[in-house]
mmCIF file of all heavy atoms in Angstrom:
data_model
loop_
_atom_site.group_PDB
_atom_site.id
_atom_site.type_symbol
_atom_site.label_atom_id
_atom_site.label_comp_id
_atom_site.label_asym_id
_atom_site.label_seq_id
_atom_site.Cartn_x
_atom_site.Cartn_y
_atom_site.Cartn_z
ATOM 1 N N ASN A 465 186.049 -14.370 93.945
ATOM 2 C CA ASN A 465 185.866 -13.773 95.260
ATOM 3 C C ASN A 465 186.243 -12.300 95.330
ATOM 4 O O ASN A 465 186.252 -11.708 96.417
ATOM 5 C CB ASN A 465 186.606 -14.614 96.343
ATOM 6 C CG ASN A 465 188.115 -14.432 96.178
ATOM 7 O OD1 ASN A 465 188.605 -13.763 95.286
ATOM 8 N ND2 ASN A 465 188.833 -15.131 97.028
ATOM 9 N N GLY A 466 186.574 -11.734 94.211
ATOM 10 C CA GLY A 466 186.818 -10.293 94.152
ATOM 11 C C GLY A 466 188.266 -9.916 94.254
ATOM 12 O O GLY A 466 188.679 -8.793 93.997
ATOM 13 N N THR A 467 189.125 -10.866 94.627
ATOM 14 C CA THR A 467 190.553 -10.533 94.657
ATOM 15 C C THR A 467 191.137 -10.659 93.264
ATOM 16 O O THR A 467 190.491 -11.174 92.340
ATOM 17 C CB THR A 467 191.350 -11.548 95.557
ATOM 18 O OG1 THR A 467 191.127 -12.862 95.050
ATOM 19 C CG2 THR A 467 190.809 -11.442 97.018
ATOM 20 N N ILE A 468 192.341 -10.109 93.065
ATOM 21 C CA ILE A 468 192.964 -10.200 91.748
ATOM 22 C C ILE A 468 194.373 -10.794 91.918
ATOM 23 O O ILE A 468 195.166 -10.287 92.687
ATOM 24 C CB ILE A 468 193.129 -8.829 91.084
ATOM 25 C CG1 ILE A 468 191.714 -8.103 91.002
ATOM 26 C CG2 ILE A 468 193.726 -8.943 89.679
ATOM 27 C CD1 ILE A 468 191.779 -6.743 90.359
ATOM 28 N N GLU A 469 194.648 -11.823 91.170
ATOM 29 C CA GLU A 469 196.009 -12.394 91.191
ATOM 30 C C GLU A 469 196.928 -11.394 90.540
ATOM 31 O O GLU A 469 196.669 -10.915 89.378
ATOM 32 C CB GLU A 469 195.978 -13.731 90.404
ATOM 33 C CG GLU A 469 197.342 -14.333 90.285
ATOM 34 C CD GLU A 469 197.426 -15.843 90.373
ATOM 35 O OE1 GLU A 469 196.306 -16.428 90.596
ATOM 36 O OE2 GLU A 469 198.500 -16.402 90.249
ATOM 37 N N ARG A 470 197.971 -10.984 91.251
ATOM 38 C CA ARG A 470 198.888 -10.003 90.778
ATOM 39 C C ARG A 470 198.170 -8.669 90.478
ATOM 40 O O ARG A 470 198.554 -7.951 89.529
ATOM 41 C CB ARG A 470 199.699 -10.446 89.552
ATOM 42 C CG ARG A 470 200.302 -11.838 89.675
ATOM 43 C CD ARG A 470 201.151 -11.962 90.882
ATOM 44 N NE ARG A 470 201.634 -13.368 91.032
ATOM 45 C CZ ARG A 470 202.322 -13.766 92.102
ATOM 46 N NH1 ARG A 470 202.617 -12.936 93.061
ATOM 47 N NH2 ARG A 470 202.721 -14.983 92.204
ATOM 48 N N GLY A 471 197.157 -8.382 91.199
ATOM 49 C CA GLY A 471 196.443 -7.144 91.070
ATOM 50 C C GLY A 471 196.967 -6.168 92.107
ATOM 51 O O GLY A 471 197.083 -6.480 93.271
ATOM 52 N N TYR A 472 197.319 -4.928 91.728
ATOM 53 C CA TYR A 472 197.891 -3.978 92.660
ATOM 54 C C TYR A 472 197.112 -2.669 92.699
ATOM 55 O O TYR A 472 197.620 -1.623 93.074
ATOM 56 C CB TYR A 472 199.338 -3.721 92.252
ATOM 57 C CG TYR A 472 200.098 -5.026 92.056
ATOM 58 C CD1 TYR A 472 200.431 -5.419 90.747
ATOM 59 C CD2 TYR A 472 200.445 -5.858 93.096
ATOM 60 C CE1 TYR A 472 201.121 -6.690 90.541
ATOM 61 C CE2 TYR A 472 201.057 -7.064 92.870
ATOM 62 C CZ TYR A 472 201.387 -7.468 91.596
ATOM 63 O OH TYR A 472 202.012 -8.659 91.441
ATOM 64 N N ALA A 473 195.840 -2.758 92.280
ATOM 65 C CA ALA A 473 195.061 -1.523 92.268
ATOM 66 C C ALA A 473 193.663 -1.796 92.900
ATOM 67 O O ALA A 473 192.667 -1.317 92.355
ATOM 68 C CB ALA A 473 194.916 -1.010 90.859
ATOM 69 N N GLY A 474 193.706 -2.565 93.920
ATOM 70 C CA GLY A 474 192.459 -2.827 94.634
ATOM 71 C C GLY A 474 191.765 -4.079 94.103
ATOM 72 O O GLY A 474 192.319 -4.853 93.347
ATOM 73 N N LEU A 475 190.512 -4.252 94.564
ATOM 74 C CA LEU A 475 189.785 -5.488 94.203
ATOM 75 C C LEU A 475 189.213 -5.409 92.784
ATOM 76 O O LEU A 475 189.361 -4.345 92.091
ATOM 77 C CB LEU A 475 188.646 -5.675 95.232
ATOM 78 C CG LEU A 475 189.117 -5.968 96.632
ATOM 79 C CD1 LEU A 475 187.950 -5.876 97.651
ATOM 80 C CD2 LEU A 475 189.811 -7.334 96.725
ATOM 81 N N SER A 476 188.577 -6.467 92.374
ATOM 82 C CA SER A 476 188.071 -6.634 90.996
ATOM 83 C C SER A 476 186.968 -5.662 90.694
ATOM 84 O O SER A 476 186.058 -5.419 91.554
ATOM 85 C CB SER A 476 187.609 -8.066 90.822
ATOM 86 O OG SER A 476 186.900 -8.188 89.608
ATOM 87 N N ILE A 477 186.940 -5.141 89.483
ATOM 88 C CA ILE A 477 185.782 -4.357 89.050
ATOM 89 C C ILE A 477 184.621 -5.242 88.645
ATOM 90 O O ILE A 477 183.505 -4.758 88.464
ATOM 91 C CB ILE A 477 186.107 -3.354 87.959
ATOM 92 C CG1 ILE A 477 186.619 -4.030 86.683
ATOM 93 C CG2 ILE A 477 187.177 -2.307 88.432
ATOM 94 C CD1 ILE A 477 186.718 -3.089 85.488
ATOM 95 N N PHE A 478 184.905 -6.520 88.398
ATOM 96 C CA PHE A 478 183.854 -7.386 87.900
ATOM 97 C C PHE A 478 183.206 -8.280 88.944
ATOM 98 O O PHE A 478 181.996 -8.501 88.943
ATOM 99 C CB PHE A 478 184.437 -8.345 86.788
ATOM 100 C CG PHE A 478 184.976 -7.636 85.619
ATOM 101 C CD1 PHE A 478 186.327 -7.563 85.368
ATOM 102 C CD2 PHE A 478 184.114 -6.984 84.743
ATOM 103 C CE1 PHE A 478 186.804 -6.893 84.240
ATOM 104 C CE2 PHE A 478 184.579 -6.313 83.621
ATOM 105 C CZ PHE A 478 185.925 -6.260 83.381
ATOM 106 N N TRP A 479 184.055 -8.833 89.820
ATOM 107 C CA TRP A 479 183.567 -9.873 90.752
ATOM 108 C C TRP A 479 183.600 -9.374 92.179
ATOM 109 O O TRP A 479 184.660 -8.818 92.612
ATOM 110 C CB TRP A 479 184.321 -11.148 90.585
ATOM 111 C CG TRP A 479 184.485 -11.548 89.178
ATOM 112 C CD1 TRP A 479 185.628 -11.522 88.440
ATOM 113 C CD2 TRP A 479 183.447 -11.888 88.277
ATOM 114 N NE1 TRP A 479 185.396 -11.842 87.177
ATOM 115 C CE2 TRP A 479 184.068 -12.091 87.043
ATOM 116 C CE3 TRP A 479 182.082 -12.101 88.364
ATOM 117 C CZ2 TRP A 479 183.317 -12.473 85.875
ATOM 118 C CZ3 TRP A 479 181.375 -12.449 87.231
ATOM 119 C CH2 TRP A 479 181.986 -12.629 86.019
ATOM 120 N N LYS A 480 182.552 -9.531 92.923
ATOM 121 C CA LYS A 480 182.542 -9.003 94.301
ATOM 122 C C LYS A 480 182.380 -10.225 95.251
ATOM 123 O O LYS A 480 181.489 -11.017 95.098
ATOM 124 C CB LYS A 480 181.431 -8.057 94.493
ATOM 125 C CG LYS A 480 181.639 -6.749 93.708
ATOM 126 C CD LYS A 480 180.631 -5.774 94.040
ATOM 127 C CE LYS A 480 180.628 -4.549 93.059
ATOM 128 N NZ LYS A 480 181.676 -4.442 92.107
ATOM 129 N N GLY A 481 183.279 -10.251 96.242
ATOM 130 C CA GLY A 481 183.181 -11.326 97.220
ATOM 131 C C GLY A 481 182.797 -10.690 98.561
ATOM 132 O O GLY A 481 182.457 -9.522 98.627
ATOM 133 N N LYS A 482 182.823 -11.525 99.623
ATOM 134 C CA LYS A 482 182.623 -10.934 100.943
ATOM 135 C C LYS A 482 183.663 -11.512 101.890
ATOM 136 O O LYS A 482 184.205 -12.615 101.650
ATOM 137 C CB LYS A 482 181.157 -11.200 101.398
ATOM 138 C CG LYS A 482 180.809 -12.668 101.465
ATOM 139 C CD LYS A 482 179.340 -12.867 101.850
ATOM 140 C CE LYS A 482 179.049 -14.364 101.806
ATOM 141 N NZ LYS A 482 177.643 -14.686 101.569
ATOM 142 N N ASP A 483 183.906 -10.751 102.898
ATOM 143 C CA ASP A 483 184.919 -11.130 103.912
ATOM 144 C C ASP A 483 184.388 -12.378 104.614
ATOM 145 O O ASP A 483 183.290 -12.334 105.205
ATOM 146 C CB ASP A 483 185.117 -9.939 104.828
ATOM 147 C CG ASP A 483 186.337 -10.084 105.700
ATOM 148 O OD1 ASP A 483 186.773 -11.229 105.919
ATOM 149 O OD2 ASP A 483 186.868 -9.047 106.151
ATOM 150 N N SER A 484 185.187 -13.389 104.697
ATOM 151 C CA SER A 484 184.705 -14.612 105.353
ATOM 152 C C SER A 484 184.901 -14.514 106.899
ATOM 153 O O SER A 484 184.456 -15.411 107.651
ATOM 154 C CB SER A 484 185.531 -15.789 104.859
ATOM 155 O OG SER A 484 186.894 -15.665 105.300
ATOM 156 N N GLY A 485 185.597 -13.491 107.330
ATOM 157 C CA GLY A 485 185.854 -13.321 108.734
ATOM 158 C C GLY A 485 187.188 -14.062 109.103
ATOM 159 O O GLY A 485 187.752 -13.825 110.148
ATOM 160 N N LYS A 486 187.639 -14.921 108.206
ATOM 161 C CA LYS A 486 188.893 -15.619 108.495
ATOM 162 C C LYS A 486 190.063 -14.802 107.917
ATOM 163 O O LYS A 486 189.873 -13.972 107.035
ATOM 164 C CB LYS A 486 188.859 -16.971 107.835
ATOM 165 C CG LYS A 486 187.839 -17.902 108.426
ATOM 166 C CD LYS A 486 187.939 -19.290 107.892
ATOM 167 C CE LYS A 486 186.723 -20.124 108.287
ATOM 168 N NZ LYS A 486 186.151 -20.836 107.184
ATOM 169 N N ARG A 487 191.264 -15.157 108.388
ATOM 170 C CA ARG A 487 192.435 -14.408 108.003
ATOM 171 C C ARG A 487 193.526 -15.346 107.521
ATOM 172 O O ARG A 487 193.681 -16.449 108.048
ATOM 173 C CB ARG A 487 192.939 -13.552 109.140
ATOM 174 C CG ARG A 487 191.997 -12.451 109.617
ATOM 175 C CD ARG A 487 192.770 -11.114 109.543
ATOM 176 N NE ARG A 487 192.073 -9.877 109.391
ATOM 177 C CZ ARG A 487 190.953 -9.575 108.899
ATOM 178 N NH1 ARG A 487 190.207 -10.476 108.334
ATOM 179 N NH2 ARG A 487 190.530 -8.322 108.790
ATOM 180 N N PHE A 488 194.336 -14.901 106.537
ATOM 181 C CA PHE A 488 195.516 -15.615 106.187
ATOM 182 C C PHE A 488 196.642 -14.629 106.064
ATOM 183 O O PHE A 488 196.521 -13.615 105.357
ATOM 184 C CB PHE A 488 195.330 -16.337 104.793
ATOM 185 C CG PHE A 488 196.536 -17.085 104.344
ATOM 186 C CD1 PHE A 488 196.965 -18.213 104.990
ATOM 187 C CD2 PHE A 488 197.223 -16.652 103.212
ATOM 188 C CE1 PHE A 488 198.123 -18.900 104.558
ATOM 189 C CE2 PHE A 488 198.357 -17.323 102.777
ATOM 190 C CZ PHE A 488 198.792 -18.512 103.445
ATOM 191 N N ARG A 489 197.757 -14.884 106.865
ATOM 192 C CA ARG A 489 198.835 -13.923 106.927
ATOM 193 C C ARG A 489 198.288 -12.463 107.149
ATOM 194 O O ARG A 489 198.660 -11.529 106.379
ATOM 195 C CB ARG A 489 199.710 -13.942 105.646
ATOM 196 C CG ARG A 489 200.480 -15.225 105.492
ATOM 197 C CD ARG A 489 201.395 -15.085 104.335
ATOM 198 N NE ARG A 489 202.061 -16.323 104.018
ATOM 199 C CZ ARG A 489 202.502 -16.675 102.826
ATOM 200 N NH1 ARG A 489 202.376 -15.890 101.788
ATOM 201 N NH2 ARG A 489 203.140 -17.793 102.664
ATOM 202 N N ASP A 490 197.390 -12.350 108.058
ATOM 203 C CA ASP A 490 196.859 -11.045 108.454
ATOM 204 C C ASP A 490 195.917 -10.429 107.459
ATOM 205 O O ASP A 490 195.434 -9.352 107.629
ATOM 206 C CB ASP A 490 197.957 -10.064 108.715
ATOM 207 C CG ASP A 490 198.434 -10.184 110.163
ATOM 208 O OD1 ASP A 490 197.783 -10.953 110.895
ATOM 209 O OD2 ASP A 490 199.435 -9.559 110.490
ATOM 210 N N GLN A 491 195.704 -11.093 106.317
ATOM 211 C CA GLN A 491 194.798 -10.549 105.307
ATOM 212 C C GLN A 491 193.443 -11.263 105.419
ATOM 213 O O GLN A 491 193.358 -12.469 105.664
ATOM 214 C CB GLN A 491 195.344 -10.840 103.893
ATOM 215 C CG GLN A 491 196.664 -10.147 103.623
ATOM 216 C CD GLN A 491 196.582 -8.616 103.691
ATOM 217 O OE1 GLN A 491 195.634 -8.019 103.264
ATOM 218 N NE2 GLN A 491 197.549 -7.998 104.385
ATOM 219 N N PRO A 492 192.364 -10.493 105.147
ATOM 220 C CA PRO A 492 191.031 -11.136 105.177
ATOM 221 C C PRO A 492 190.921 -12.180 103.963
ATOM 222 O O PRO A 492 191.463 -11.918 102.958
ATOM 223 C CB PRO A 492 190.069 -9.977 104.945
ATOM 224 C CG PRO A 492 190.863 -8.868 104.375
ATOM 225 C CD PRO A 492 192.310 -9.087 104.841
#
Side-chain angles (χ1 to χ4, degrees):
N465 68 1
T467 59
I468 305 181
E469 176 142 357
R470 313 304 175 186
Y472 311 107
L475 294 169
S476 169
I477 61 170
F478 298 111
W479 313 111
K480 293 187 192 349
K482 58 183 176 204
D483 194 336
S484 66
K486 295 186 191 134
R487 293 236 159 330
F488 178 68
R489 291 187 188 153
D490 276 351
Q491 297 298 317

